Amino acid sequence: MRMENQVDGAVVDAGSNLLVRRVLDDQWGRPLDTAIHVDDEMLLHGYELYGGSRDQALTRYFLSGLNVISALNQVASWRWGSLADAGRILDFASGFGRVTRFLVELTGRERVTVSDLYPKAMEFQRDRFGVEAIASTTRPEALPINGPFDLINVTSLFTHLPGPRFEAWLRRLLDLLSTGGVLCFTVHDVALLEGRVNVPSEGILFSRDSESRSLDPDEYGSTWVTEKYVRSVLQRVAPQVSLTRLPRAIGDYQDLYVAVNEPDVSFERFDFDAGCTGFLHTFEVQDDGRCHTFGWVASRTGTHPPARVEISINGTLAAAVDQFYPRDDVAALLSIPSTRNSGWGCTIDRPAPRSNSFDICTIKVISDSGVETMLNVDTIAGLALSNANSELGVLRSQEQQPAAEGGSLVSRLRRRLARLLAQ
């Protein structure tokens, strides 16, 4: 079975990819324009991140967009009841529409405005999604957009800005908010640096490195900030705004800040669920065709623990786990004591006698509030080969391992690969 994506001119037809279709059937369940522009830097970055795998770059592209939509849905539900009731929306620094494609389906394209520096991205979104698309500028004061907007979403912009631009863009975007409107923006917290780099006393560290292939690195690099810094900037530019921080809400590594253009807003009833994170340690196809798997899953913030892990093959539930065992190493890794009961494992029966290694397996975790996080999406062969490669990597790193032990492991991995190729 071949898994490939057709390219029509400057557009990748991601909807023809079987893994993408499985993700969208499971996590979206309604029509969606799946065209991606070939110059979309979020997709190109995915190729680099996943070793050139088109399948994984495409699936993670859509999963990341769904992650942002889940967060915006929760914000809108708290503030207005739903995204459909949010009013006028601006998706700023929207790129080629990784998030916009979902927004227009939930709210209606007539209520969505997008803006980005790339003219090609604006043309693409205008043509594909039917939204108002306005070219952005490098100078906030020159931005040709008229407010007010009730909801402004800014994903992965403030994660790249030097201090002066960080403050200037925050000021400009808050000026576009309606009274009572909400600005959602993401940042990298300094905690991601794990103390490896000294952060300046003002609480912002800027580096000239980023995934962008065309933007000025002095204006668009990589940025890490403290919560104190974000709050101090906000106090300078818009002291009337109420603010809350949602750690690790986007993609496991970006904090989401929710700024409401209204003083003294209470966030006590805003029970945000950032979803879960996890790691698959083992996915091994046994001689009888069953799959043995184990790993760990945990709440990203410790507030909404996992209630259930579901493993499906070709869209059919094959196994479910709702009992978890202690993993002190996970609690230490996440620095969250409440994530200790995070270990899980099971053996999966294959769904049909003639099913093969190209069956698509999805592994997702559902939190106690019902938020779903897709952890793994791949073929049976892909998951097993990834597991084998991981074990080989461990073997190579164990320089002092006795030769006999190493040999037995290599032999076991070779037998496993032979079984996969024979199916």
Side-chain angles (χ1 to χ4, degrees):
M1 180 183 298
R2 297 179 62 192
M3 289 190 185
E4 60 183 23
N5 306 292
Q6 299 174 355
V7 178
D8 179 15
V11 174
V12 177
D13 176 20
S16 65
N17 182 280
L18 298 183
L19 299 186
V20 170
R21 281 160 51 188
R22 178 55 53 209
V23 165
L24 293 178
D25 285 347
D26 187 279
Q27 296 290 293
W28 184 244
R30 67 188 80 184
L32 185 74
D33 190 328
T34 55
I36 306 176
H37 198 283
V38 293
D39 292 332
D40 192 324
E41 288 191 340
M42 300 309 301
L43 179 62
L44 297 177
H45 181 57
Y47 288 149
E48 297 175 0
L49 196 60
Y50 296 102
S53 169
R54 172 170 283 190
D55 285 339
Q56 289 305 309
L58 287 171
T59 55
R60 294 297 165 176
Y61 179 94
F62 285 97
L63 283 172
S64 65
L66 285 164
N67 182 199
V68 175
I69 283 296
S70 174
L72 292 178
N73 260 323
Q74 291 187 63
V75 172
S77 295
W78 163 74
R79 190 63 180 164
W80 300 287
S82 72
L83 263 175
D85 300 315
R88 194 179 178 210
I89 300 172
L90 172 63
D91 192 11
F92 189 73
S94 60
F96 286 85
R98 177 181 52 143
V99 174
T100 313
R101 68 185 71 236
F102 295 102
L103 269 178
V104 297
E105 296 298 332
L106 293 176
T107 66
R109 64 195 69 220
E110 69 281 353
R111 291 170 45 207
V112 178
T113 300
V114 301
S115 183
D116 197 272
L117 277 174
Y118 294 115
K120 194 181 297 185
M122 295 297 88
E123 180 183 359
F124 177 78
Q125 290 212 60
R126 190 181 300 115
D127 292 344
R128 296 297 312 195
F129 310 135
V131 295
E132 181 183 16
I134 301 174
S136 185
T137 67
T138 57
R139 294 184 299 114
E141 65 276 11
L143 181 68
I145 294 180
N146 296 318
F149 293 94
D150 301 294
L151 174 63
I152 300 177
N153 173 57
V154 191
T155 308
S156 299
L157 172 65
F158 290 94
T159 53
H160 297 287
L161 299 178
R165 285 289 191 242
F166 190 109
E167 181 165 333
W169 274 117
L170 194 55
R171 183 192 305 275
R172 180 70 179 101
L173 291 169
L174 286 167
D175 285 344
L176 293 175
L177 271 186
S178 62
T179 300
V182 177
L183 167 66
C184 295
F185 63 99
T186 64
V187 306
H188 290 144
D189 191 84
V190 296
L192 295 174
L193 299 172
E194 299 179 335
R196 293 171 296 181
V197 181
N198 291 326
V199 178
S201 57
E202 60 266 33
I204 180 171
L205 176 68
F206 176 76
S207 167
R208 297 177 73 252
D209 301 311
S210 80
E211 74 275 6
S212 175
R213 305 181 178 197
S214 58
L215 297 179
D216 182 352
D218 289 321
E219 295 287 340
Y220 191 92
S222 295
T223 304
W224 296 265
V225 295
T226 63
E227 182 175 356
K228 182 179 179 180
Y229 173 80
V230 175
R231 291 188 178 277
S232 66
V233 171
L234 195 75
Q235 184 61 32
R236 287 195 297 272
V237 303
Q240 82 284 359
V241 168
S242 302
L243 183 72
T244 191
R245 173 193 172 209
L246 306 173
R248 301 182 63 190
I250 305 299
D252 248 353
Y253 60 90
Q254 290 193 34
D255 290 359
L256 178 65
Y257 280 87
V258 179
V260 183
N261 192 19
E262 182 180 309
D264 303 320
V265 171
S266 173
F267 294 97
E268 288 185 8
R269 296 186 179 181
F270 183 23
D271 185 23
F272 184 83
D273 185 351
C276 295
T277 185
F279 186 78
L280 185 65
H281 288 293
T282 294
F283 191 96
E284 182 174 350
V285 180
Q286 300 175 335
D287 290 332
D288 60 5
R290 296 185 300 169
C291 304
H292 176 65
T293 181
F294 81 92
W296 62 265
V297 291
S299 166
R300 287 189 174 114
T301 59
T303 55
H304 285 283
R308 181 178 169 93
V309 174
E310 293 185 352
I311 302 98
S312 296
I313 298 180
N314 298 330
T316 300
L317 183 66
V321 178
D322 58 9
Q323 299 294 318
F324 304 94
Y325 59 85
R327 288 284 303 265
D328 290 329
D329 58 329
V330 173
L333 174 69
L334 300 178
S335 300
I336 304 176
S338 63
T339 61
R340 181 171 180 263
N341 285 332
S342 56
W344 70 277
C346 68
T347 298
I348 309 165
D349 292 323
R350 305 288 278 277
R354 298 182 63 83
S355 81
N356 58 54
S357 295
F358 293 100
D359 291 319
I360 297 175
C361 180
T362 60
I363 303 175
K364 69 179 178 182
V365 55
I366 305 170
S367 73
D368 67 353
S369 76
V371 171
E372 298 187 1
T373 305
M374 191 76 76
L375 297 178
N376 299 90
V377 186
D378 209 338
T379 61
I380 295 287
L383 287 172
L385 287 169
S386 294
N387 181 79
N389 285 331
S390 295
E391 290 191 32
L392 280 172
V394 170
L395 175 63
R396 289 167 180 153
S397 69
Q398 295 174 343
E399 297 179 351
Q400 304 304 317
Q401 186 173 5
E405 181 183 351
S408 65
L409 178 56
V410 170
S411 297
R412 181 161 59 88
L413 292 174
R414 285 175 176 166
R415 288 196 299 272
R416 189 187 309 170
L417 294 176
R419 284 199 305 272
L420 287 168
L421 295 174
Q423 295 188 51

